[in-house]
Amino acid sequence: MKRKKVLGATVMSVVMGISMFATGAFGQQTKSNETYRVLIQGPASEKAKAKANYGVRWDFSSKGFTTTVNAQQYQALLQNKNLTIEKVSEVNVGTMREDAAAKPGGTTGAVPSDQTPWGIQAIYNDSAIAATSGGSGITVAVLDTGVNKNHADLASNVKQCQDFSQTKVSWVDGTCSDGNGHGTHVSGTVLANGGSTGKGIYGVAPEANLWSYKVLNDRGSGYSDDIAAAINKVADEAVRTGSKVIISMSLGSSSKDSLISNAVDYAYGKGVLVVAAAGNDGPGDNTIGYPGALVNAVAVAALENVQENGTYRVADFSSRGNPATDGDYVIQERDVEVSAPGRAIESTWKDGGYNTISGTSMATPHVSGLAAKIWAANPSWSASQLRAELQNRAKAYDIKGGTGAATGDDYASGFGFPRVK
């Protein structure tokens, strides 16, 4: 099938198997009815005046604060020599990748075509597996389009539900409705539990807890400051509740965003493991997106259910890392770390049914779920020890299929495919 360009903008992108952020040039002509989300930085006294004049959406302390202004206010801010003004990266989600044989959408009330889809069988290394287990006591925070918290296969796992995508307020507790489907799909791959009847679908770690943080609206668009704020919130909640937490972000960008980068560093410093999609701009090298490309995030490439050179194959659409660092088994910026099933993945959908879609978005929750399962079995481990175990398991199943894949650490599959056994 012809691959669609999923991300529509110039600076940053959030995946639905990956999508793009856009940032306009400061010198462009503005329309009187336009509004702008901006990051304002400068001396404390000047920031205080700006806060009083324009209000605050998110305060990132010394890194500045964000707010929404109209065109006239925006032009006035640009004239203020005491402040630095940047447009916040806007997120525009494009069409999710689907295989030609994939269903166009979920079917309410329908049973899945396979309770343990090929990705689950692959990561468990068991083609006959009928149900999954594990993840008890571990929390996975999925930052996405929200979740259908009433889905039969997910309802009992949802412990937090928060919305960072509202326009009039910055954050609403208790709501995370998913009018898009992507967030529900990702959540299911992490921890779907088969439902009360046991006839639903299974994710990797069905006993894990779900924190659903909606950072994209139902059109699949949002802003990088909301994503950064959500990451910071997860880290603070992990500390407050004493929880072992994994952040799963099936989102990315073509360029490094300072707000998100700082937030990832903050979360990692609080003992949270961050897992993120590599992106869907392959098979060329150095196409990996952010935040997956950050050193403190585990970047996940996508595999397909095809055997090549005796292993699964990296999908052509999966973004690649830096070939100059092949073979060193050291994670540097713009490196793919591991790979997991990402093409033709069936999972839960927004309408209570099931859907099959593809992307590194779908690979990421396989690794997030595996991390939850491993951590539950080793609760004394730190996030860095957990990450090392993922790397060791990936080395045990080297990927040699697909463009750029080779023996050992490579820029297509990273260390390899980490599995349950």
Side-chain angles (χ1 to χ4, degrees):
M1 126 183 164
K2 185 177 180 181
R3 293 194 295 117
K4 298 177 181 177
K5 182 84 172 170
V6 179
L7 296 168
T10 53
V11 178
M12 240 187 131
S13 105
V14 167
V15 208
M16 287 220 143
I18 252 185
S19 339
M20 285 214 153
F21 285 80
T23 299
F26 289 153
Q28 66 189 25
Q29 297 255 328
T30 59
K31 297 178 181 178
S32 60
N33 62 345
E34 285 186 330
T35 59
Y36 305 91
R37 183 79 62 84
V38 294
L39 173 66
I40 299 177
Q41 298 171 296
S45 59
E46 292 297 325
K47 285 194 296 184
K49 293 177 187 177
K51 287 177 182 179
N53 288 333
Y54 306 111
V56 179
R57 184 172 179 89
W58 297 111
D59 192 337
F60 295 100
S61 188
S62 63
K63 306 297 182 182
F65 74 96
T66 61
T67 190
T68 300
V69 296
N70 61 32
Q72 184 176 4
Q73 292 170 327
Y74 176 62
Q75 290 299 326
L77 282 169
L78 292 179
Q79 300 304 313
N80 188 330
K81 303 302 182 183
N82 297 314
L83 294 172
T84 300
I85 311 300
E86 297 178 20
K87 282 186 180 176
V88 173
S89 299
E90 184 179 354
V91 184
N92 295 308
V93 175
T95 303
M96 289 177 284
R97 297 184 183 280
E98 297 187 18
D99 289 280
K103 294 175 290 185
T107 304
T108 302
V111 296
S113 64
D114 189 345
Q115 288 188 274
T116 53
W118 82 266
I120 298 299
Q121 295 175 22
I123 203 164
Y124 268 80
N125 194 24
D126 183 357
S127 61
I129 190 170
T132 58
S133 63
S136 179
I138 307 302
T139 295
V140 180
V142 175
L143 275 57
D144 213 287
T145 62
V147 70
N148 176 356
K149 63 180 180 180
N150 297 315
H151 196 292
D153 303 352
L154 301 171
S156 63
N157 300 74
V158 180
K159 305 304 178 185
Q160 284 196 22
C161 176
Q162 304 188 21
D163 189 351
F164 293 74
S165 70
Q166 299 286 328
T167 55
K168 294 184 179 180
V169 294
S170 58
W171 167 66
V172 180
D173 191 15
T175 180
C176 56
S177 61
D178 181 12
N180 185 285
H182 189 266
T184 301
H185 192 280
V186 168
S187 299
T189 298
V190 176
L191 46 67
N193 59 24
S196 59
T197 64
K199 295 182 178 180
I201 208 164
Y202 287 91
V204 182
E207 297 164 35
N209 298 320
L210 174 63
W211 290 355
S212 180
Y213 282 27
K214 181 180 173 71
V215 295
L216 305 174
N217 62 29
D218 290 344
R219 297 185 305 277
S221 62
Y223 292 90
S224 63
D225 62 329
D226 292 337
I227 296 168
I231 295 170
N232 289 337
K233 177 73 169 178
V234 170
D236 290 341
E237 282 293 282
V239 173
R240 183 185 70 83
T241 61
S243 303
K244 295 186 181 300
V245 182
I246 297 153
I247 290 178
S248 187
M249 289 190 288
S250 290
L251 51 82
S253 79
S254 58
S255 299
K256 192 172 182 178
D257 180 88
S258 62
L259 292 177
I260 293 178
S261 177
N262 291 334
V264 167
D265 291 345
Y266 178 77
Y268 198 69
K270 295 292 184 180
V272 174
L273 183 71
V274 180
V275 183
N280 297 339
D281 293 318
D285 60 34
N286 286 303
T287 52
I288 188 171
Y290 289 87
L294 298 171
V295 172
N296 285 335
V298 177
V300 186
L303 301 175
E304 53 192 2
N305 193 15
V306 176
Q307 295 290 306
E308 184 176 290
N309 298 324
T311 70
Y312 289 103
R313 185 171 71 190
V314 181
D316 272 355
F317 65 72
S318 185
S319 292
R320 269 63 170 175
N322 181 9
T325 61
D326 273 7
D328 61 4
Y329 285 107
V330 175
I331 294 302
Q332 301 180 50
E333 192 160 329
R334 302 191 65 83
D335 275 352
V336 169
E337 189 157 340
V338 296
S339 45
R343 183 184 284 282
I345 303 301
E346 185 173 13
S347 187
T348 47
W349 198 243
K350 63 180 180 179
D351 60 2
Y354 306 89
N355 196 10
T356 301
I357 55 180
S358 301
T360 55
S361 278
M362 287 63 253
T364 301
H366 280 91
V367 174
S368 301
L370 176 61
K373 184 176 175 69
I374 294 171
W375 215 352
N378 301 276
S380 65
W381 284 3
S382 65
S384 59
Q385 288 174 307
L386 175 62
R387 186 177 187 179
E389 178 65 12
L390 287 173
Q391 294 175 350
N392 287 334
R393 294 193 185 201
K395 292 175 185 176
Y397 190 78
D398 193 18
I399 295 297
K400 302 175 185 176
T403 303
T407 300
D409 175 25
D410 62 65
Y411 71 96
S413 69
F415 291 15
F417 175 21
R419 300 193 292 183
V420 172
K421 58 181 180 180

